[in-house]
Amino acid sequence: YKPKDIIGGDFYVFYPLQVQDGVCTKYAIGVFDCTGHGVSGGILAMLGLSIVQNLTPLLRTKTPAVVLGLINNQFMATLNNGNIAEAKHAGMEGCLCVVDKNINTISFSGAKSNLHIINSKTNELTILKANRVNIGDNSSKEKFEFTNHTTIVNEGDNIYLFSDGITDQYVTINGKNQKLKTKPFISYLI
């Protein structure tokens, strides 16, 4: 992870939820991207990271969808209570996952940020779809209920969470400088 500028709006979290005999057997991971670039994105990222870090421990007993909903509510309440004029344009895309190595599952919920799994045996791509709403989007309902997905993962499967920070990179394709975009990026991974 390396931001484009000195500070930026993307951040990630890793949080151990269960440790057995010194080995992390259940953990939470998340990737988030705040609106804005540079300083404005960085300020929102500090707010978002604080909220996410405070609520991530709840994943011990709650689904990623429930916790993402709580993050959404807290993010909106914080911005609205501050009467920030641009609050209606402030938000985050992101996702939360719980990986449970004891039962080989991953639970996922996302806000405009999908989860991609490449099966290690078949090279088959599975996409767990995120809800098409931003965290903190004032046009969404405050009590929006995110969708939770749970699927089996196998030893060696590759799991990808990413923001548009990677897919918005400019690359040269057939002599033309253009954005990488999601589908070509995924095809590089398979």
Side-chain angles (χ1 to χ4, degrees):
Y1 168 78
K2 186 176 179 186
K4 177 182 156 207
D5 296 317
I6 294 172
I7 61 172
D10 291 16
F11 65 92
Y12 64 93
V13 292
F14 175 87
Y15 191 87
L17 298 170
Q18 185 178 60
V19 177
Q20 294 173 328
D21 299 322
V23 176
C24 185
T25 57
K26 185 176 181 181
Y27 53 89
I29 51 177
V31 173
F32 295 87
D33 177 18
C34 296
T35 55
H37 298 279
V39 173
S40 64
I43 290 170
L44 277 180
M46 288 189 306
L47 170 64
L49 179 60
S50 174
I51 292 168
V52 170
Q53 286 179 327
N54 285 334
L55 294 174
T56 298
L58 295 176
L59 288 168
R60 284 190 177 98
T61 58
K62 299 191 182 307
T63 66
V66 169
V67 174
L68 205 58
L70 294 171
I71 291 167
N72 182 47
N73 294 344
Q74 183 67 47
F75 195 85
M76 286 180 18
T78 302
L79 290 179
N80 290 336
N81 286 341
N83 294 321
I84 299 170
E86 279 82 36
K88 65 181 178 181
H89 301 293
M92 295 190 299
E93 296 177 4
C95 58
L96 278 175
C97 301
V98 172
V99 177
D100 190 334
K101 295 170 82 174
N102 296 312
I103 56 174
N104 295 329
T105 62
I106 186 165
S107 293
F108 160 82
S109 186
K112 288 190 173 180
S113 186
N114 297 330
L115 172 76
H116 300 78
I117 303 170
I118 299 176
N119 184 292
S120 61
K121 295 181 175 91
T122 65
N123 244 15
E124 180 181 318
L125 172 67
T126 301
I127 301 173
L128 301 183
K129 297 279 188 176
N131 293 100
R132 302 307 305 160
V133 63
N134 278 341
I135 295 166
D137 182 354
N138 283 338
S139 65
S140 71
K141 295 180 175 79
E142 187 173 328
K143 300 295 182 186
F144 182 83
E145 291 187 21
F146 289 91
T147 304
N148 202 74
H149 305 273
T150 301
T151 190
I152 301 291
V153 288
N154 301 303
E155 185 79 27
D157 286 357
N158 293 309
I159 301 166
Y160 296 97
L161 308 170
F162 51 89
S163 73
D164 63 5
I166 187 76
T167 57
D168 282 352
Q169 295 296 314
Y170 281 91
V171 296
T172 303
I173 300 174
N174 298 328
K176 292 184 178 179
N177 198 22
Q178 59 192 36
K179 285 187 180 184
L180 177 58
K181 299 191 179 177
T182 302
K183 285 184 182 179
F185 175 65
I186 295 299
S187 71
Y188 289 128
L189 299 176
I190 294 179

